[in-house]
């Protein structure tokens, strides 16, 4: 049940994803609902990603190369992960602006006013200055490109897990699929570029900072196909973030990744439950590439 199994929502034919898959099959189901698909687990997805990104930012920020912050939303659905990332980034930029204003405020209670406790402290994004790179989104899904574009204004490429395992990657999601490359600086800015005032970098083979796969990776039933995909990704990305309502799929040693304890910020055994995140029944597991 990879993309939500709560009450019916837009694009979900029945409330049980297991029933949907049994009646229609996975591919046929997403062909039917691809244009209107929504994952009702978005609050849990967002909370998990905020917690992960806060931790990652604190410990990885000095290592981020300027203008090379690429995030691959793989099997992107209607863009739940992308929306969470961009909301995290925008909140971090607002936190930075608020801190600057606070620094010029002589009132003793300015710190309390700057960041109200409307959310648990651990989920509050850190201040993100304008000198740090904007997340450039890469997105792919063979069924839900229209739903992704409707929700995010960005473009997903119709790449399958097999396509990605064979070495294909999408271009930056601010461009329509198949659009010619252009150096025209008068182009309408993308949602990413509007955060900094310039277009995201154009690259042929980006080093991806993280791949996020939400409620989909366990659809790969054959271990050989899962290995092929994960090994290929391990040669192109630093981090793999898996979001699911359970702990599948099972990752194995020798597949190009080590499991990462987010709390201690260190490697742990594949079977260890330590350092995982759980928010609103959404499990989040993180892996570090051994090949990049």
């Amino acid at each position: 049940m990879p993309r939500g199994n709560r009450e019916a929502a837009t694009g979900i034919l029945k409330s049980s994803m297991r029933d949907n898959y049994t009646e229609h099959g996975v591919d046929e189901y997403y062909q039917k609902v691809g244009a209107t698909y929504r994952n009702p687990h978005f609050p849990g997805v967002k909370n998990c990603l905020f917690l992960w990104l806060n931790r990652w930012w604190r410990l990885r920020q000095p290592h981020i190369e300027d203008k090379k912050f690429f995030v691959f939303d793989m099997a992107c659905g209607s863009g739940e992960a992308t929306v969470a990332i961009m909301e995290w980034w925008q909140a971090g930029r607002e936190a930075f602006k608020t801190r600057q204003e606070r620094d010029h405020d002589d009132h003793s209670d300015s710190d309390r006013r700057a960041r109200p406790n409307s959310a648990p402290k651990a989920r509050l994004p850190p201040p993100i200055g304008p000198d740090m790179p904007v997340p450039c989104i890469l997105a792919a899904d063979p069924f839900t490109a229209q739903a992704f574009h409707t929700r995010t204004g960005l473009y997903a490429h119709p790449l399958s897990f097999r396509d990605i395992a064979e070495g294909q990657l999408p271009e930056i999601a601010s461009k329509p699929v198949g659009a010619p490359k252009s150096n025209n600086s008068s182009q309408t800015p993308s949602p990413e570029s509007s955060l900094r005032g310039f277009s995201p970098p154009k690259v042929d083979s980006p080093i991806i900072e993280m791949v996020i796969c939400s409620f989909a990776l366990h659809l790969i039933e054959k271990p050989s196909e899962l290995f092929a995909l994960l090994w290929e990704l391990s040669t192109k990305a630093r981090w793999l973030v898996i979001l699911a309502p359970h702990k599948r799929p099972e990752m194995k040693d020798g597949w190009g990744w080590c499991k990462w304890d987010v709390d201690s910020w260190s490697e742990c055994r594949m079977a260890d439950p330590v350092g995982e995140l759980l928010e609103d029944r959404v499990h989040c597991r993180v892996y570090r590439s051994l090949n990049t």
Side-chain angles (χ1 to χ4, degrees):
M1 47 182 181
R3 299 195 177 191
N5 66 334
R6 297 182 184 177
E7 63 276 4
T10 302
I12 298 179
L13 302 180
K14 294 183 178 180
S15 59
S16 169
M17 295 303 290
R18 190 184 305 275
D19 291 344
N20 285 321
Y21 294 152
T22 299
E23 180 175 345
H24 303 285
V26 174
D27 287 359
E28 183 180 346
Y29 168 73
Y30 284 110
Q31 288 171 356
K32 288 178 178 292
V33 305
T36 58
Y37 173 78
R38 290 292 186 273
N39 186 340
H41 288 270
F42 175 65
V45 169
K46 177 179 175 179
N47 288 339
C48 281
L49 286 177
F50 269 44
L51 290 171
W52 154 244
L53 290 167
N54 289 349
R55 187 69 172 158
W56 164 83
W57 181 264
R58 176 184 173 189
L59 295 165
R60 283 289 299 173
Q61 177 187 343
H63 305 283
I64 301 173
E65 300 177 60
D66 189 27
K67 303 181 183 179
K68 292 186 179 181
F69 176 15
F70 290 90
V71 178
F72 180 16
D73 189 351
M74 183 174 67
C76 59
S78 61
E80 289 80 14
T82 291
V83 169
I85 291 165
M86 300 312 296
E87 288 185 0
W88 174 85
W89 189 265
Q90 291 168 337
R93 291 297 301 274
E94 288 300 318
F96 179 82
K97 293 177 183 178
T98 299
R99 188 176 68 176
Q100 285 187 312
E101 295 172 357
R102 184 190 65 207
D103 290 341
H104 293 87
D105 192 341
D106 294 329
H107 295 290
S108 60
D109 64 341
S110 60
D111 186 67
R112 289 192 298 273
R113 294 200 312 268
R115 305 189 76 184
N117 292 322
S118 58
K121 184 178 180 181
R123 296 179 194 157
L124 291 174
I128 300 174
D131 57 326
M132 295 306 295
V134 173
C136 294
I137 304 296
L138 314 176
D141 196 300
F143 305 112
T144 64
Q146 182 57 55
F148 180 84
H149 179 63
T150 298
R151 187 172 189 178
T152 68
L154 304 177
Y155 296 88
H157 285 236
L159 299 180
S160 66
F161 286 137
R162 180 172 296 179
D163 294 330
I164 298 164
E166 292 175 351
Q168 296 187 56
L169 281 178
E171 296 181 0
I172 294 173
S174 57
K175 291 176 54 179
V177 177
K181 295 183 179 181
S182 172
N183 294 321
N184 183 2
S185 60
S186 64
Q187 287 179 303
T188 302
S190 69
E192 298 103 313
S193 65
S194 67
L195 291 174
R196 284 192 67 180
F198 59 82
S199 297
K202 297 179 176 63
V203 294
D204 294 324
S205 300
I207 297 176
I208 300 169
E209 181 65 21
M210 66 185 73
V211 177
I212 300 175
C213 191
S214 175
F215 284 65
L217 198 59
H218 64 283
L219 285 173
I220 303 176
E221 297 180 350
K222 296 181 179 179
S224 60
E225 294 180 358
L226 183 60
F227 164 77
L229 173 66
L230 295 179
W231 183 266
E232 179 66 22
L233 289 173
S234 76
T235 67
K236 297 177 178 178
R238 294 188 179 98
W239 300 96
L240 172 64
V241 181
I242 299 176
L243 298 151
H246 43 58
K247 294 192 175 185
R248 297 193 303 272
E250 180 183 355
M251 300 276 284
K252 297 184 181 295
D253 293 320
W255 286 10
W257 300 90
C258 66
K259 190 175 181 185
W260 201 253
D261 183 337
V262 176
D263 295 327
S264 67
W265 204 251
S266 61
E267 181 179 348
C268 64
R269 294 184 302 175
M270 284 290 185
D272 284 347
V274 297
E276 298 180 0
L277 302 172
L278 177 61
E279 290 286 319
D280 196 21
R281 294 190 288 177
V282 174
H283 295 263
C284 177
R285 291 169 292 148
V286 177
Y287 301 85
R288 179 68 168 91
S289 172
L290 299 174
N291 293 324
T292 56

